[in-house]
Amino acid sequence: MASMLKDWGQFTFEDKWPCMRPIILKLLKQEPVTQGEWQDLFFSVHLVCLENEKGPPKLRDALKEDIMDFIKQAQQRVLAHQEEQALLKAYIAEWGKFFTQCNYLPTPFRQLETSLAGKTSSTPQKRNQPDESIVRKLMLDSWNQSIFGEIKQRLQDSAMRLVRAERNGEAFDSQLVIGVRESYVNLCSNTTDKLQIYRENFEAAYIEATEAFYWVKAPEQLSLHGVENYMRYAEAKLREEELRAQKYLEPNSASVQLLTECCVRVLVATFKPAILAECPRMIQHHQTDKLRLMLKLMDRVPEGVGPMLRDLEEHIANAGLADMMAAVDVITQDSEKYVERLLDLFRRFSTLVKEAFDDDPRFLTARDKAYKLVVNDATVFRLELPPRQGAGVGTAVVNSKPNNNNNGQPESKCPELLANYCDMLLRKTPLSKKLTSDEIESKLRDVLLVLKYVQNKDVFMRYHKAHLTRRLILDTSADSEKEENMVEWLREVGMPADYVNKLARMFQDIKVSQDLNQQFKEQCRAAIADSINIKILNAGAWARGSERVTVSLPLQLEDYIPEVEDFYKKKHSGRKLQWYHHMSNGTITFSNQVGRFDVDVTTFQMAVLFAWNQRPMEKISYENLRLATELPDPELRRTLCSLCAFPKLKRQLLLVDPPAHSPKDFAHDSRFWVNQEFAIVKNGKLQKRGKINLIGRLQLSTERSKEEDNQSIVQLRILRVQEAIIKILKMRKKINNAQLQTELVDILKNMFLPSKKMIKEQIEWLIEHKYIRRHDEDINTFVYMA
Amino acid sequence: MADSEQDNTDRGDGDNLKSDKLFTLKKWNAVAMWSWDVECDTCAICRVQVMDACLRCQAESKKDFYGRQDCVVVWGECNHSFHYCCMSLWVKQNNRCPLCQQEWSIQRMGK
């Protein structure tokens, strides 16, 4: 070291070069270099650079010359091969060696670079990056100019041929292709976009080759093996090509993405119509695996999934309706079968969506949309809502409302049947008796599931409440806990609060009534206490404006009434009582020559039957019964019919001449008498004792109000629409028509779906009555007028 | 026909010792509805039917759903009636009947 320092400054380039050169050549040829030689090289470079200004350029030129020499030799070795495969192999071998050296050789020449850079430019920050190394650049540029530039087209072509061979199932050394790519990437002299050459040549060629390959292959596959197999082929190839691209294409670029897009285009997009054409058939045949595959493919192309969704919707709607139509005879008669069938359909479609589309939200939406159509379809059954034409016919309550508001379209009977089914589950019925508590609960949940799809929930609510009223008044609930659970479930599924609150109120009322009844019995005469039960209910929660019917009660009953009223007055003040005899009922004992029977009857039936107590054997005319009971004509007819033509009863309680089968059949002079041979027939045998129920379905309203029932549904809807419009406008002050419609449907969706016509009419009505007005500049915008 | 009728009466009398009636009452389940004895069924203060709980009570009873709906009615000397809840808030500001402007004094309360 000391001797070297002594000669400091005396070494010139010419002195040092002879001992540097062999080491450089060794490095280039990848021959072993000792540690000492390696270090000497560093020191020599250092000395040359220190010498004077002329040293570094000389060194650079000499280096360049040697590199060029080496490259020329390599070029000769490579180009000696004429055959492409061999050429490629030779090139890759030479390139591999050379590229490795590109990382080593520049290291000893750092100092040289610093000196050179110090002179030419003053941007030292770039120096740190090895790629920027001048020596390296020198090496790569030289390689590019002398070898690669000349044969790159040939190399690329043979690389592509190799890839093609691989696609056809031949194995080869993938390094050959990778090497070509590396050459492209590393030999780029454009420093701002290093991938430019690669992209313009290699990548473009690769993608083009891929496209060309499948352009031929894909149609061949399709026509040879059919769509189903083709989908499998396409899916496999897409995956395969993606993996291949990850291997052969530059990882840190958009190449793989581009290649995949190209493959999707050739393999999928081109055949989209052909593939999609199979979709309806596959859905129909529940070919879930194939559909799954199809979704995978279609999800990759624009507008691919849309047609599948439409196919699914169409299938659900068609198959669902066809299924319902096929069973129309059974299900229109039987709520249970109807609901079961509807649920069965729902499960079927849900399974399909789950198995074929993995519960993809888009397909779930399609299912819901189509199922809604099935549920609300009006061709299977229809609920005729009256087209209320003409003003003010028996509509005192709503006479200020517009009168041409007919929502004349028929609606599905679904909500009514759902409510009936609920009733069968919650009432003591053969059905509810044979089911376990858990089964009933799960079936009720099913009802709520279907209810979600019902557009006109208000109809359901109306029927459900009527059924509940009957169960509570006749005390026929199978399980009171379940009843109250149901109310909560209805609340959970979003039934309007005021409606659910009323139901809850009814349960509360029944409890209050039980206490009241208890107290009444403790206070009054024993004779009465034994034979009367009172239910005094909140008119607001129970009676929906239904009219009462007058009846002349049997004297015995008539006597009870003041006692109850007196008792009630003492307990409460400020209240008035109204008797709802059409809801009340009881048990009477009927004795005839055959035996004694306990008969459950309505109060109306009681009133009619007690007419015979004074004259047991007489035949009484219709007219006289009317005078005795004071029942209105329709109610009397219905009551009589229930006594002389009670369904499924072998022997009727009353007999009539001339015979009659329906309420209409009675004439004023029809004559009725008590059937002295009445008996309960069980298994073909007469029973002398027994209990029988003739109440049937408790009538909650009169014949006339029943007719108005559906009308009142429409009336209530009108009010709800008006109310909702005002609510929205009060909040928004100003709103355009489209937005108003959307918000309106949103507010009302838990009750019913307002028709466009109804909305329009109610807007007009509100404008006419100065609740709102149209905007001065835009007639489609409405403004709130307070 | 006459014969058989004769027959029936005989047997009926013999069989039925407790009561000679054809039909006797065993149990009557009577149903009545109560409502407040008011002239106007809407509370002029909250615009809700007096049979229903007033607006405030309805909002509160949402929380406990079987909530005791003790929202009773009150009558003034003027015979106008309101929800008691509504009226007790009203008189804090203005001790007059909202309908007739007479001095408010309670005639009776619903119970």
Side-chain angles (χ1 to χ4, degrees), chain A residues 484 488 491 504-505 530-540 542 556-557 568 571-581 584-591 593 596 598 603 606 609-610 613 674 676, chain B residues 1 4-5 7-9 11-12 15-38 51-53 58 61-62 65-69 72 75 108-111:
Chain A
E484 294 187 26
E488 278 323 288
R491 193 190 297 277
R505 184 75 202 256
D530 279 347
S531 50
I532 185 168
N533 257 315
I534 50 169
K535 282 193 172 74
I536 296 181
L537 310 167
N538 179 319
W542 291 74
Q556 199 182 352
L557 301 186
Y568 197 74
K571 299 268 327 163
H572 296 281
S573 65
R575 298 187 179 192
K576 61 180 179 212
L577 283 187
Q578 286 187 306
W579 291 93
Y580 275 59
H581 293 309
S584 61
N585 58 85
T587 309
I588 54 172
T589 305
F590 169 42
S591 315
Q593 54 179 337
R596 282 158 61 91
D598 283 346
T603 300
M606 219 185 281
L609 291 175
F610 274 50
N613 265 352
V674 175
Q676 290 296 343
Chain B
M1 200 62 192
S4 76
E5 268 177 31
D7 248 340
N8 295 347
T9 357
R11 283 181 80 175
D15 219 36
N16 208 346
L17 294 174
K18 277 187 210 156
S19 155
D20 52 353
K21 297 244 177 83
L22 204 51
F23 300 102
T24 44
L25 181 72
K26 206 170 170 190
K27 192 91 183 177
W28 189 40
N29 304 310
V31 178
M33 301 282 166
W34 70 266
S35 51
W36 299 114
D37 192 7
V38 291
M51 275 314 287
D52 294 337
Q58 278 187 27
S61 76
K62 259 182 202 165
F65 58 94
Y66 288 123
R68 303 164 24 80
Q69 300 212 3
V72 296
W75 286 263
R108 62 196 167 113
M109 291 261 295
K111 193 173 81 155

Side-chain angles (χ1 to χ4, degrees), chain B residues 14 30 35 80 82 95-96 105-106:
Chain B
S35 51
H80 289 126
F82 310 94
N95 195 28
R96 288 179 183 281
S105 70
I106 294 177

Side-chain angles (χ1 to χ4, degrees), chain A residues 255-475:
Chain A
S255 300
V256 178
Q257 175 74 22
L258 280 173
L259 188 271
T260 311
E261 277 165 22
C262 156
C263 287
V264 168
R265 212 165 43 240
V266 183
L267 284 165
V268 187
T270 328
F271 304 106
K272 191 174 88 175
I275 295 174
L276 284 174
E278 293 295 306
C279 185
R281 199 179 50 76
M282 290 176 183
I283 290 177
Q284 220 162 32
H285 293 96
H286 220 282
Q287 295 172 320
T288 52
D289 290 348
K290 289 165 192 164
L291 287 168
R292 200 178 260 270
L293 193 59
M294 186 181 289
L295 173 60
K296 243 188 206 166
L297 294 177
M298 287 304 138
D299 229 356
R300 289 167 172 264
V301 296
E303 299 294 313
V305 179
M308 294 183 73
L309 293 172
R310 281 194 288 282
D311 286 339
L312 180 73
E313 267 173 44
E314 209 164 290
H315 166 74
I316 292 180
N318 291 341
L321 285 179
D323 201 273
M324 298 304 268
M325 281 312 244
V328 76
D329 289 343
V330 191
I331 56 182
T332 43
Q333 300 304 316
D334 188 336
S335 322
E336 182 188 354
K337 294 226 168 68
Y338 169 75
V339 176
E340 296 279 337
R341 197 150 197 119
L342 215 48
L343 283 168
D344 192 53
L345 284 174
F346 184 77
R347 280 186 216 111
R348 225 165 75 201
F349 299 140
S350 299
T351 318
L352 178 69
V353 172
K354 186 172 173 53
E355 287 175 359
F357 308 117
D358 245 341
D359 280 347
D360 184 299
R362 291 168 295 177
F363 285 86
L364 287 176
T365 311
R367 176 203 66 187
D368 287 353
K369 200 169 142 202
Y371 190 66
K372 206 173 206 166
L373 217 78
V374 177
V375 167
N376 292 296
D377 180 84
T379 49
V380 181
F381 336 86
R382 47 182 58 205
L383 171 72
E384 298 283 356
L385 288 182
R388 275 189 71 262
Q389 300 284 10
V393 185
T395 53
V397 194
V398 281
N399 55 7
S400 60
K401 300 297 168 259
N403 44 53
N404 54 344
N405 46 43
N406 51 27
N407 179 20
Q409 310 132 330
E411 289 176 7
S412 165
K413 236 180 156 182
C414 177
E416 182 186 339
L417 293 167
L418 275 180
N420 290 350
Y421 183 61
C422 265
D423 181 48
M424 290 169 71
L425 292 168
L426 290 167
R427 190 158 45 93
K428 288 176 199 149
T429 55
L431 175 69
S432 69
K433 271 175 199 153
K434 78 175 189 224
L435 297 172
T436 68
S437 171
D438 287 348
E439 282 170 333
I440 289 182
E441 182 166 336
S442 94
K443 280 178 190 297
L444 287 172
R445 295 271 187 192
D446 287 345
V447 170
L448 294 171
L449 182 83
V450 177
L451 187 61
K452 208 173 77 184
Y453 295 95
V454 170
Q455 258 161 14
N456 298 316
K457 299 186 176 65
D458 55 346
V459 178
F460 173 84
M461 294 183 245
R462 191 169 280 261
Y463 280 98
H464 181 69
K465 191 181 166 196
H467 287 308
L468 176 63
T469 305
R470 287 190 192 98
R471 290 196 298 272
L472 291 177
I473 285 179
L474 296 176
D475 197 20

Side-chain angles (χ1 to χ4, degrees), chain A residues 688-751:
Chain A
K688 292 191 171 185
R689 292 274 189 279
K691 205 169 159 68
I692 186 168
N693 187 328
L694 292 184
I695 295 175
R697 190 182 211 197
L698 189 67
Q699 222 61 51
L700 295 180
S701 51
T702 60
E703 286 288 293
R704 210 189 82 188
S705 67
K706 208 165 130 193
E707 277 165 30
E708 286 167 8
D709 229 31
N710 287 344
Q711 219 166 67
S712 67
I713 291 184
V714 178
Q715 277 310 331
L716 192 61
R717 285 184 186 172
I718 288 170
L719 290 175
R720 297 276 192 209
V721 169
Q722 292 178 347
E723 175 192 52
I725 294 174
I726 292 299
K727 211 189 245 172
I728 294 166
L729 272 158
K730 208 167 176 176
M731 195 163 59
R732 301 253 181 253
K733 302 295 177 221
K734 201 170 90 178
I735 194 167
N736 69 34
N737 189 35
Q739 202 187 346
L740 177 64
Q741 303 257 353
T742 321
E743 293 197 17
L744 207 50
V745 169
D746 199 52
I747 288 186
L748 297 173
K749 67 168 184 272
N750 276 325
M751 294 183 268

Side-chain angles (χ1 to χ4, degrees), chain B:
Chain B
M1 200 62 192
D3 278 348
S4 76
E5 268 177 31
Q6 196 61 46
D7 248 340
N8 295 347
T9 357
D10 289 343
R11 283 181 80 175
D13 284 346
D15 219 36
N16 208 346
L17 294 174
K18 277 187 210 156
S19 155
D20 52 353
K21 297 244 177 83
L22 204 51
F23 300 102
T24 44
L25 181 72
K26 206 170 170 190
K27 192 91 183 177
W28 189 40
N29 304 310
V31 178
M33 301 282 166
W34 70 266
S35 51
W36 299 114
D37 192 7
V38 291
E39 276 171 25
C40 172
D41 58 8
T42 310
C43 169
I45 300 172
C46 70
R47 310 296 301 165
V48 170
Q49 298 224 327
V50 287
M51 275 314 287
D52 294 337
C54 72
L55 273 184
R56 284 170 161 275
C57 290
Q58 278 187 27
E60 279 161 24
S61 76
K62 259 182 202 165
K63 287 167 215 148
D64 83 296
F65 58 94
Y66 288 123
R68 303 164 24 80
Q69 300 212 3
D70 276 334
C71 199
V72 296
V73 172
V74 63
W75 286 263
E77 285 299 342
C78 56
N79 238 354
H80 289 126
S81 50
F82 310 94
H83 286 120
Y84 179 70
C85 312
C86 298
M87 199 58 205
S88 46
L89 280 175
W90 181 272
V91 293
K92 279 180 190 162
Q93 294 191 331
N94 178 2
N95 195 28
R96 288 179 183 281
C97 168
L99 290 176
C100 63
Q101 297 301 319
Q102 280 185 41
E103 184 106 355
W104 178 258
S105 70
I106 294 177
Q107 181 198 76
R108 62 196 167 113
M109 291 261 295
K111 193 173 81 155

Side-chain angles (χ1 to χ4, degrees), chain A residues 511-709:
Chain A
K511 283 172 194 152
V512 170
S513 251
Q514 278 164 358
D515 295 345
L516 194 76
N517 198 39
Q518 198 59 41
Q519 291 163 11
F520 175 67
K521 285 185 176 177
E522 282 161 12
Q523 286 182 23
C524 68
R525 289 182 289 125
I528 301 184
D530 279 347
S531 50
I532 185 168
N533 257 315
I534 50 169
K535 282 193 172 74
I536 296 181
L537 310 167
N538 179 319
W542 291 74
R544 19 166 193 157
S546 67
E547 56 177 332
R548 290 178 308 125
V549 187
T550 52
V551 59
S552 164
L553 290 175
L555 279 178
Q556 199 182 352
L557 301 186
E558 196 74 62
D559 288 346
Y560 294 147
I561 287 187
E563 300 221 19
V564 177
E565 285 181 346
D566 286 348
F567 164 75
Y568 197 74
K569 273 215 179 79
K570 279 181 211 145
K571 299 268 327 163
H572 296 281
S573 65
R575 298 187 179 192
K576 61 180 179 212
L577 283 187
Q578 286 187 306
W579 291 93
Y580 275 59
H581 293 309
H582 60 282
M583 287 187 184
S584 61
N585 58 85
T587 309
I588 54 172
T589 305
F590 169 42
S591 315
N592 66 1
Q593 54 179 337
V594 181
R596 282 158 61 91
F597 307 95
D598 283 346
V599 190
D600 291 338
V601 286
T602 65
T603 300
F604 288 175
Q605 286 171 329
M606 219 185 281
V608 169
L609 291 175
F610 274 50
W612 272 277
N613 265 352
Q614 262 63 51
R615 42 207 158 164
M617 297 306 143
E618 270 179 45
K619 294 187 174 179
I620 307 179
S621 72
Y622 177 88
E623 192 55 29
N624 281 335
L625 283 172
R626 200 178 61 78
L627 289 171
T629 60
E630 292 180 57
L631 279 169
D633 194 60
E635 270 63 43
L636 179 59
R637 282 173 183 277
R638 200 165 60 189
T639 308
L640 280 168
C641 189
S642 71
L643 292 169
C644 14
F646 196 83
K648 289 179 198 157
L649 208 59
K650 295 248 166 55
R651 297 190 180 194
Q652 300 288 343
L653 213 84
L654 287 188
L655 299 173
V656 58
D657 180 49
H661 302 285
S662 87
K664 292 190 297 279
D665 296 346
F666 303 122
H668 282 275
D669 54 355
S670 287
R671 289 153 71 79
F672 301 84
W673 66 97
V674 175
N675 183 4
Q676 290 296 343
E677 272 151 44
F678 174 84
I680 298 171
V681 183
K682 218 174 192 176
N683 301 327
K685 279 187 199 153
L686 288 190
Q687 314 278 317
K688 292 191 171 185
R689 292 274 189 279
K691 205 169 159 68
I692 186 168
N693 187 328
L694 292 184
I695 295 175
R697 190 182 211 197
L698 189 67
Q699 222 61 51
L700 295 180
S701 51
T702 60
E703 286 288 293
R704 210 189 82 188
S705 67
K706 208 165 130 193
E707 277 165 30
E708 286 167 8
D709 229 31

